[in-house]
Amino acid sequence: MQLSVTVRGPRAEAVSYLLAKNPNNLYERGEKGLTVRLVYPTFSSEEVQFIIFVKTDPIDLVKNSPDLFDITHYINDREFAASSIFVTSIRKALGTALNGKPKEEYASWVEHPFDMELSFGPVATDLSNRELEALFAPIGYAVNIEYGESFIREKSSARFITLLGKQTLQNALKQLSILIPVIDNYKHYFIDEREREKFDRYGEGWLENHPQKLLILNRSLRFQKMISQSKFYEKETKKEEGNEPPKIRLNDLRYEAIIKYVEALTKKQTIVDLGAGEGKLSVKLGFIEGVQEILSVEPSNRARLKALDRFDQAKEKRGFVEPQLLAGSLFYYDERLLNKDVMILCEVIEHIDEYRLPRIFETIFKDYRPEVLIVTTPNQEYNEVYDMDEAMRHHDHRFEWTRAEFTGKCETWASSYPYQVHFQGIGEEHPNFGQPTQMAIFSREEGK
C-alpha cells in the first residue's frame, strides 16, 4: 500500500517543511502489524517527490484480531489494498501537513497551491471508473486509472489511481483521507463521534459543494445517526427535497424475487441460506409462512455477529422463525445441510474461483440433494449499461458471466443429476443486455 506525491514548480522544496520531514533521513515507524516508511526519491528546488508506504505483517495482523477464528482468512485471497487501514496508518506521519501546522516561518506555504501528481494503490472497489472519476474531477483533478495484475488472475480487480491537479498539500491529504476509505468502502474501526468530527474537519473547504457529497457521507459515516450529525448533512437533505423517490436497490429486487419464488413452493419447510453474509436474506426468509427451519451458513465471524444482531431485532416481530447461524463454507462438507427443501446461493458463486465450482455443485447435487436450489449471479453483459468498461462489479469477484455462459454452466452441472433447471432475470431489463442479475432455479425430479 503506498501513496506517491510529486510537486513541481518554484520552491517545491517547501513541501518538506510542510511535512516536517527531513529529505536526508528515512522516516520509519512501526505499529501493530504494520511498518510505515516515508522517503524522498526526488528532491530539488523545482521538483519534489515523496512516497509513503505501509508494509503489512499478515500473521501479526490476524493473530491478535477478534476475527482470529474467521475462516475467511483461509478461503479469501483479498489483496492488501489502500483502505481505511492505510489511511489511519499514515495519518500520524503526515499529521503536520494534514493539520496545517508547520513551523511559523513556513506557515505561508500552507495555503500555497502546487502543481501536484498523486498516485495511490492498490485499491479494491465496487465503484466503476466513471464513479471514481466523479469523486475527484469536481475538486480539480484529472484522473487516470490502471488495473494491476495478480499471480492468481491475469488481471487483478485492484486499481491504481493517479491524480493531476493544482492543490495545497493540506487539501490534497484531507481529500485522500476521506476518499480512499470511500473508494474501498471498508472500515476496520468503529464509526463514532470522534470519527464524525474528523470527517467534518477533513471535509472543510472542499466537500460543501461536492456533487457526490451524499455518496461520500453515506460510505464514510455509514449510520444514519452519524450522517445526520455531520455539518454537511443539512444542505444535502434540503437539496434532495422534491426529487423523485429513489429506485428500489438491485439487492432488494434479488431478495424479492427469491422470496416470491420460495413462497410459491409447496415444500419450503427447511431452507439453507449458503453464504448468508450479514443475514439480510435469512431474515426475510424467516417471515415466510410455512417455513420451519432456516440454516444461515456463513464463513465470516464478523458477518455472523452482524447477522445475530439482525435476528435478535426480528425476533420481536410476530411470526418470525429465527434462523440458526452456522459457521461453514462451500468448500467443506457439512452433513447438517443434507436433504433440505430449499438451498440458496444469492450472489455467492462469483466470489469463488471458477475451477472450484464443478466440485461444489457436485457436492450439492450428489450429497446435499435439496429439492430446489436457487442461484443468483451478475449478468456480465449488463455492465455495459453501467458503463463499467472491463471492471467487475465488486473487487472480490473472481468472474462474471454472460447469460449464455451462465446457462451453459448450469445445464452442464445439472446434466449428470436428476435436476431440471430454468432461468429468469432480475432487475430493469435492457433490450440488448438483458437484466442486471440472472437467476437459475434447479428443481429435483420427483421421486429421484
Side-chain angles (χ1 to χ4, degrees):
M1 300 179 273
Q2 72 174 40
L3 165 66
S4 167
V5 179
T6 304
V7 172
R8 299 180 178 93
R11 293 299 308 274
E13 77 275 8
V15 166
S16 65
Y17 302 118
L18 297 176
L19 290 167
K21 298 290 180 291
N22 188 326
N24 296 312
N25 298 330
L26 168 69
Y27 174 92
E28 181 173 299
R29 296 290 185 274
E31 298 184 30
K32 176 190 170 296
L34 303 166
T35 302
V36 181
R37 295 189 179 98
L38 187 149
V39 297
Y40 291 86
T42 304
F43 191 88
S44 71
S45 60
E46 294 291 326
E47 182 175 337
V48 169
Q49 180 191 29
F50 69 87
I51 298 176
I52 185 163
F53 59 96
V54 177
K55 182 182 178 183
T56 58
D57 181 337
I59 295 175
D60 194 39
L61 277 174
V62 169
K63 71 181 180 184
N64 296 314
S65 165
D67 296 324
L68 177 60
F69 300 105
D70 187 335
I71 64 174
T72 53
H73 294 307
Y74 306 100
I75 64 174
N76 193 338
D77 61 350
R78 183 185 186 276
E79 296 125 320
F80 290 112
S83 65
S84 62
I85 297 174
F86 176 68
V87 169
T88 302
S89 303
I90 66 176
R91 274 178 185 161
K92 190 180 293 184
L94 302 177
T96 303
L98 261 172
N99 296 318
K101 301 291 185 183
K103 289 183 178 179
E104 191 174 344
E105 59 263 41
Y106 306 112
S108 62
W109 287 95
V110 172
E111 299 299 324
H112 179 77
F114 295 95
D115 286 319
M116 197 173 289
E117 179 179 324
L118 305 103
S119 299
F120 60 91
V123 62
T125 183
D126 59 340
L127 298 178
S128 69
N129 287 354
R130 175 171 286 187
E131 289 170 318
L132 291 173
E133 189 171 352
L135 290 176
F136 292 103
I139 49 179
Y141 293 106
V143 184
N144 181 56
I145 300 168
E146 296 181 355
Y147 287 89
E149 292 186 358
S150 166
F151 67 89
I152 298 174
R153 287 167 279 170
E154 288 185 11
K155 187 174 183 179
S156 170
S157 58
R159 280 170 264 185
F160 294 83
I161 299 174
T162 300
L163 310 172
L164 294 168
K166 204 173 184 72
Q167 295 282 353
T168 68
L169 180 63
Q170 183 185 23
N171 265 355
L173 296 178
K174 288 198 302 184
Q175 290 157 359
L176 292 181
S177 292
I178 288 180
L179 293 179
I180 288 176
V182 166
I183 293 168
D184 183 79
N185 203 26
Y186 166 77
K187 302 290 184 297
H188 74 286
Y189 47 75
F190 182 71
I191 299 171
D192 57 12
E193 191 69 23
R194 288 179 301 173
E195 190 59 30
R196 196 269 303 161
E197 290 172 356
K198 192 182 298 174
F199 175 85
D200 285 354
R201 189 166 69 251
Y202 289 162
E204 212 167 81
W206 65 275
L207 186 53
E208 291 88 347
N209 299 310
H210 197 297
Q212 300 299 319
K213 181 167 60 176
L214 189 59
L215 172 73
I216 295 168
L217 267 168
N218 287 334
R219 287 170 76 103
S220 294
L221 299 181
R222 299 290 179 104
F223 306 111
Q224 190 58 40
K225 181 180 177 182
M226 290 291 107
I227 293 169
S228 63
Q229 289 176 355
S230 170
K231 69 180 184 181
F232 299 110
Y233 177 70
E234 187 177 355
K235 277 186 181 179
E236 193 61 45
T237 52
K238 286 180 180 176
K239 182 179 175 183
E240 294 296 312
E241 285 175 6
N243 285 1
E244 293 181 8
K247 291 183 178 180
I248 300 175
R249 296 171 64 243
L250 179 57
N251 212 37
D252 293 328
L253 290 174
R254 290 189 198 107
Y255 295 158
E256 184 180 296
I258 292 170
I259 296 301
K260 186 177 179 180
Y261 189 85
V262 173
E263 283 176 334
L265 291 173
T266 304
K267 296 183 67 176
K268 52 178 176 281
Q269 286 79 11
T270 57
I271 301 177
V272 178
D273 185 6
L274 264 173
E278 297 175 9
K280 293 178 183 178
L281 176 59
S282 292
V283 166
K284 294 179 182 295
L285 293 167
F287 287 103
I288 295 177
E289 188 175 348
V291 171
Q292 298 174 4
E293 177 191 60
I294 301 164
L295 302 182
S296 188
V297 184
E298 168 58 37
S300 167
N301 184 52
R302 181 178 297 172
R304 289 199 308 275
L305 289 173
K306 291 182 179 179
L308 192 60
D309 288 339
R310 188 168 271 115
F311 299 164
D312 283 340
Q313 293 174 28
K315 275 195 299 188
E316 300 174 6
K317 299 178 182 179
R318 181 178 298 178
F320 179 65
V321 176
E322 185 178 1
Q324 181 183 348
L325 270 173
L326 301 179
S329 164
L330 283 163
F331 302 132
Y332 308 121
Y333 174 78
D334 190 338
E335 64 181 9
R336 295 173 293 183
L337 311 185
L338 296 175
N339 301 316
K340 302 302 181 184
D341 294 324
V342 183
M343 184 171 281
I344 301 167
L345 290 167
C346 179
E347 303 299 290
V348 172
I349 63 170
E350 63 272 11
H351 295 271
I352 300 169
D353 289 319
E354 200 173 332
Y355 74 88
R356 290 181 158 182
L357 291 176
R359 183 64 181 270
I360 286 170
F361 278 87
E362 179 185 2
T363 300
I364 291 173
F365 292 139
K366 182 180 177 182
D367 299 322
Y368 293 157
R369 303 181 76 246
E371 290 293 326
V372 170
L373 170 68
I374 300 172
V375 180
T376 73
T377 193
N379 168 18
Q380 186 270 336
E381 296 164 79
Y382 204 87
N383 293 353
E384 289 281 344
V385 180
Y386 295 140
D387 194 26
M388 293 180 62
D389 301 321
E390 297 180 50
M392 294 189 193
R393 295 188 203 173
H394 190 276
H395 61 79
D396 191 48
H397 285 185
R398 303 301 197 259
F399 63 86
E400 288 176 3
W401 286 330
T402 65
R403 287 167 290 174
E405 287 171 331
F406 183 55
T407 299
K409 298 282 186 182
C410 291
E411 289 176 346
T412 298
W413 294 330
S415 63
S416 300
Y417 304 95
Y419 282 85
Q420 298 294 323
V421 59
H422 69 274
F423 303 89
Q424 69 181 66
I426 300 171
E428 187 175 349
E429 188 167 9
H430 186 278
N432 298 325
F433 306 120
Q435 291 166 273
T437 295
Q438 43 194 341
M439 179 163 72
I441 299 156
F442 301 84
S443 303
R444 199 166 80 202
E445 296 174 6
E446 203 168 325
K448 294 186 179 181

